[in-house]
Amino acid sequence: MKKIISLTTLIVLIFSLTVVASAKMTGDDVLNKMEEVRDVQTTQMELKLELYDSSGSKRVRTLRNISKKIERKKALSRFLSPSDVEGTGFLSIDKPEIDDEDMYLYLPALGSVRKISGSQKNGSFVGTDFSYNDLSLIGAENYNDDYKAIVLEENEQEYTLKIIPTDEDIDYKYGKLILSKKTWYPTKVEFYDSRDKLQKILTNYNVKQIQGYWTPQKVIMEDVQKGTKTILYLESVVYNDKVNDRIFSPRYLRRY
Amino acid sequence: MLKRRNFILPIVIFLICSTGVFAKDKLEISGTLDSSIEGISDDGELIGRERLDLELKKNFGFDADMYIDLATYSMKNEDAEIELNEAYLNYYTDNIDWRIGKQIINWGSSYKLQPTDYFNPHDYTAIKPLDEKLGVKAVKGIYYTANGLEITGVITPYFERNKLSEEKENLLKIKGVTGVENDIENIQGGFKITKRAFKGFDLSASTYHGFDKEFIENDKGKFIYPEANRIGFDFIGDFGEMGVWTETAYSIYEDNQFDNRLEAALGIDYKFSDDLYLVGQYYFKGGRLDNEDDIKILNFHADRPIFQFHQIECNINYELETETFVVEPQFNYSLANAVELQIGGTYVDSDDEDDAVVSKLGKDRVYTRLKIEF
């Protein structure tokens, strides 16, 4: 009888621990699962960007973005219009061995590829409300590489995380990320500056499954301090198609 | 002159003829209309400039493409001139990118004054001379090795000098400078080896054989563009978050009367999170003769977007030897997509304006400039 009681106690204990462990994911576990769920190898997308100033005036741009996550993360972005930014290209190659990345900018007017310094990564990406560092957040990538997280709140529908940059090049002090448990895709991210003031809000709208991956059809990055915003519309996207590794090079960046 | 035209003509004819052959790749037409008015404060003169750049681009599959920049420009109500600013064919193989035709070859990482930028002269008739380079006829090949090196070779059949303003040309004529050859029909060539992302830095070493782009009076009283061999070195990267670069070129002259000279630039840049971008650079160029002074210039640049689509910027150049300041503030007002109105000015403070190199960048003036890109 004693043996049966002991065995039952042990089973109950193990079961309880398992339940507790699965229910209480840490913030970093959540970020890692976000990345695992996506597990996209390559992405090719075309985007329309609407830039608004504080008075509501608008400028429109179109952008092609190609990224690959095999061995190391690489991304190539190219403006397609209007003519004053057409051809402007941006290349980013992750270097996980030194926790850094090489970033290059190509400006057609200069005709040459130029290495971008660390400080420029926090600057605006060609007039948008996205910084160079923010670009990887389009597609909900790199959160687990660039941030650590603490769970602030959890309910049946979503997690609320405090994300703190681990990459020294990111100027935000911290962010607040709301993640849907259904899609494992962030619905909203608030970024706070070094004075704890809300600086930017990234909101993903109309998240749909495309080729099995949850994908927002519209993304708004709002700079609440400047009163400006950039709205990004997804024009087309193809996941996991073959992408030649050679395009992620300064050679192809200048080939436009 | 006929030879020069012959060099470009086959490219233009090929481009026109090929539009039917490669019908699936459309001819892309774009361009820039640039109209400006300068008011010179010394004499109250108003100088109007109009420039239309018509750019034609055509792809021939994935292996080749062509680009033509046909510029029409006029200044001070003179007759319009038409010139091919650039016209070249690109051909891509597995490991080599070829470019043949009139082109701009940008070497060097420094800010505007680049010692290893050997080939293209500046256009000192332009409203912003350091932003405008003249195309040169050249064949360029870049070989990409398996271990990540870029080896670039350039050959140019004709030498081109810096383009000076009419006033400066007249001033030189008064000084008796009339016999300087514009085109020296000798081949210039250069090689460059680049290693990118080496411990976070891009490194380049280069060699060049050719001519100085600015002339000098030799010991026989003739004005010549001295023939020189150069070796250069360029590196760019970052320390912490600050961008750093240094670029040097050492010239060894064929004619012993000229002193070998060093040209170097050392600079830093930093961008704040509010998009304020700052550049500081020291530039040095040694004299070629005892009576030619060394040039030492401090360059500062700042720019910052305002109200999202507009920008303010300021360039300050200080030449140490002549104690000359050139200050150039500018406001760029975006009127619409690809339409910009620039309003700016130049203030020159110098006791020795004729000898100051930085005074070539402009006189005391205010200007407005409308740029429409299509």
Side-chain angles (χ1 to χ4, degrees):
Chain A
M1 188 62 184
K2 271 186 182 176
K3 275 185 182 176
I4 291 169
I5 291 168
S6 304
L7 195 61
T8 309
T9 311
L10 189 64
I11 289 168
V12 168
L13 188 67
I14 290 168
F15 181 74
S16 311
L17 284 172
T18 310
V19 169
V20 168
S22 62
K24 293 287 173 195
M25 286 178 82
T26 66
D28 292 340
D29 292 339
V30 175
L31 291 189
N32 286 334
K33 187 163 180 190
M34 259 173 74
E35 193 81 2
E36 280 169 28
V37 166
R38 285 196 68 71
D39 192 30
V40 178
Q41 302 292 299
T42 68
T43 308
Q44 297 174 71
M45 55 170 76
E46 283 197 11
L47 305 159
K48 185 174 92 170
L49 286 80
E50 289 181 354
L51 285 62
Y52 291 87
D53 69 9
S54 54
S55 69
S57 293
K58 183 173 83 171
R59 300 285 184 273
V60 181
R61 290 168 183 187
T62 53
L63 176 76
R64 180 185 297 139
N65 183 275
I66 304 171
S67 61
K68 191 170 185 175
K69 272 202 316 187
I70 299 170
E71 293 173 18
R72 59 182 62 197
K73 289 173 185 170
K74 300 168 183 180
L76 178 71
S77 303
R78 179 91 65 188
F79 276 97
L80 307 176
S81 71
S83 46
D84 58 339
V85 292
E86 184 186 345
T88 299
F90 170 68
L91 172 70
S92 151
I93 302 170
D94 208 22
K95 297 176 86 175
E97 63 276 13
I98 54 167
D99 195 23
D100 200 0
E101 58 195 330
D102 286 319
M103 296 168 109
Y104 290 93
L105 182 68
Y106 172 76
L107 296 169
L110 296 180
S112 60
V113 172
R114 190 177 168 88
K115 198 171 189 307
I116 298 178
S117 65
S119 65
Q120 296 196 47
K121 296 173 193 172
N122 280 303
S124 161
F125 177 62
V126 198
T128 68
D129 288 291
F130 291 90
S131 70
Y132 288 91
N133 277 322
D134 293 335
L135 289 179
S136 60
L137 306 182
I138 302 169
E141 291 171 0
N142 280 16
Y143 277 104
N144 63 339
D145 279 353
D146 296 340
Y147 296 89
K148 61 179 180 178
I150 300 162
V151 178
L152 295 176
E153 206 179 309
E154 182 187 352
N155 58 37
E156 283 183 5
Q157 281 82 40
E158 57 193 24
Y159 281 104
T160 302
L161 306 178
K162 181 177 183 178
I163 54 170
I164 301 152
T166 51
D167 183 341
E168 288 175 2
D169 289 336
I170 295 173
D171 272 358
Y172 304 125
K173 189 173 181 184
Y174 63 91
K176 197 187 282 182
L177 183 149
I178 298 171
L179 178 80
S180 160
K181 281 186 171 177
K182 181 186 166 195
T183 61
W184 285 90
Y185 203 93
T187 51
K188 187 177 179 183
V189 193
E190 295 175 350
F191 294 100
Y192 292 80
D193 67 13
S194 55
R195 298 165 297 161
D196 289 340
K197 295 248 171 81
L198 180 61
Q199 187 179 352
K200 289 183 190 174
I201 303 171
L202 177 86
T203 315
N204 292 309
Y205 291 93
N206 198 10
V207 181
K208 285 182 180 173
Q209 269 200 322
I210 297 175
Q211 289 180 247
Y213 298 105
W214 292 100
T215 310
Q217 304 303 296
K218 179 177 157 185
V219 180
I220 299 182
M221 180 64 112
E222 191 179 355
D223 189 321
V224 292
Q225 293 180 4
K226 290 197 283 187
T228 58
K229 68 180 172 187
T230 299
I231 305 179
L232 198 149
Y233 295 94
L234 184 70
E235 302 270 282
S236 66
V237 64
V238 177
Y239 290 115
N240 294 339
D241 205 6
K242 200 172 178 184
V243 173
N244 191 332
D245 214 37
R246 295 178 76 171
I247 69 162
F248 301 104
S249 64
R251 178 187 187 184
Y252 281 83
L253 186 59
R254 70 164 76 93
R255 189 169 159 179
Y256 177 78
Chain B
M1 184 57 84
L2 189 63
K3 279 183 184 174
R4 298 174 68 187
R5 280 183 186 155
N6 282 346
F7 193 76
I8 299 301
L9 198 61
I11 295 174
V12 178
I13 291 168
F14 180 73
L15 179 69
I16 294 164
C17 293
S18 62
T19 51
V21 179
F22 302 93
K24 69 187 171 94
D25 290 310
K26 288 179 187 168
L27 180 69
E28 293 173 34
I29 301 174
S30 59
T32 308
L33 177 66
D34 186 337
S35 176
S36 65
I37 299 172
E38 269 177 274
I40 307 296
S41 64
D42 286 349
D43 51 15
E45 187 186 10
L46 285 176
I47 301 172
R49 295 168 205 255
E50 307 287 340
R51 182 177 170 121
L52 173 68
D53 281 89
L54 191 64
E55 295 169 35
L56 310 173
K57 192 181 175 195
K58 186 167 170 55
N59 293 323
F60 306 111
F62 197 66
D63 294 329
D65 57 65
M66 225 167 209
Y67 174 81
I68 289 179
D69 174 6
L70 187 67
T72 308
Y73 57 91
S74 69
M75 189 174 159
K76 296 181 182 175
N77 298 322
E78 289 174 357
D79 290 343
E81 289 186 42
I82 299 175
E83 193 174 89
L84 278 170
N85 197 37
E86 287 185 271
Y88 55 76
L89 169 71
N90 287 319
Y91 180 66
Y92 309 104
T93 66
D94 270 359
N95 296 313
I96 305 178
D97 291 350
W98 293 101
R99 178 172 288 181
I100 178 166
K102 195 171 185 184
Q103 56 189 288
I104 291 171
I105 300 153
N106 284 299
W107 283 7
S109 304
S110 302
Y111 181 74
K112 302 206 176 184
L113 295 165
Q114 295 159 325
T116 65
D117 200 16
Y118 303 125
F119 298 98
N120 299 91
H122 283 289
D123 181 359
Y124 285 102
T125 66
I127 197 163
K128 294 272 184 177
L130 295 183
D131 294 341
E132 302 292 338
K133 288 179 187 171
L134 302 171
V136 291
K137 275 79 71 179
V139 177
K140 182 175 82 172
I142 308 176
Y143 175 65
Y144 299 88
T145 69
N147 59 358
L149 287 177
E150 291 175 20
I151 301 169
T152 309
V154 175
I155 291 177
T156 73
Y158 300 102
F159 166 78
E160 283 220 22
R161 61 176 184 160
N162 284 327
K163 191 174 176 183
L164 301 173
S165 66
E166 196 183 333
E167 297 95 284
K168 288 209 166 58
E169 299 267 8
N170 289 335
L171 192 66
L172 292 169
K173 278 178 188 166
I174 291 165
K175 288 181 178 176
V177 184
T178 54
V180 183
E181 274 190 299
N182 188 352
D183 296 310
I184 300 172
E185 293 185 20
N186 272 322
I187 287 177
Q188 301 171 85
F191 277 98
K192 185 173 76 155
I193 298 178
T194 302
K195 174 69 179 167
R196 294 192 185 273
F198 178 75
K199 297 188 184 299
F201 290 90
D202 283 4
L203 312 169
S204 296
S206 56
T207 62
Y208 165 81
H209 174 81
F211 304 87
D212 279 1
K213 291 188 279 268
E214 66 271 26
F215 60 80
I216 191 168
E217 186 179 7
N218 69 5
D219 54 5
K220 291 170 186 152
K222 285 188 173 176
F223 289 90
I224 62 163
Y225 295 95
E227 193 169 357
N229 295 302
R230 296 199 179 108
I231 49 171
F233 181 73
D234 176 27
F235 100 112
I236 182 166
D238 44 9
F239 284 122
E241 289 199 331
M242 190 175 284
V244 294
W245 60 84
T246 185
E247 191 183 340
T248 57
Y250 188 72
S251 299
I252 302 157
Y253 289 98
E254 302 263 310
D255 192 334
N256 289 334
Q257 68 177 295
F258 300 115
D259 296 336
N260 296 338
R261 76 166 165 187
L262 179 74
E263 188 177 356
L266 173 67
I268 54 172
D269 69 353
Y270 190 84
K271 193 166 199 173
F272 293 86
S273 53
D274 65 352
D275 283 326
L276 173 64
Y277 177 58
L278 299 177
V279 179
Q281 180 174 273
Y282 174 70
Y283 173 81
F284 172 86
K285 195 175 192 177
R288 293 167 291 185
L289 290 170
D290 291 342
N291 62 0
E292 190 180 44
D293 291 333
D294 294 344
I295 298 164
K296 297 169 189 167
I297 301 171
L298 291 171
N299 312 121
F300 298 101
H301 169 85
D303 68 56
R304 189 180 184 279
I306 54 167
F307 307 117
Q308 188 76 347
F309 307 134
H310 319 297
Q311 189 188 47
I312 46 170
E313 63 174 74
C314 188
N315 289 298
I316 300 172
N317 295 295
Y318 178 63
E319 193 173 331
L320 279 76
E321 292 294 306
T322 57
E323 296 185 348
T324 302
F325 265 109
V326 177
V327 183
E328 296 179 295
Q330 185 173 294
F331 174 52
N332 305 326
Y333 183 79
S334 169
L335 294 164
N337 282 325
V339 181
E340 186 174 84
L341 179 68
Q342 300 175 351
I343 300 165
T346 303
Y347 170 71
V348 183
D349 181 19
S350 177
D351 293 332
D352 192 5
E353 206 166 307
D354 286 345
D355 287 334
V357 174
V358 291
S359 63
K360 274 201 256 179
L361 305 180
K363 299 173 178 176
D364 285 346
R365 62 182 179 177
V366 289
Y367 58 84
T368 62
R369 186 182 190 188
L370 181 68
K371 279 185 91 170
I372 302 170
E373 296 185 46
F374 54 93

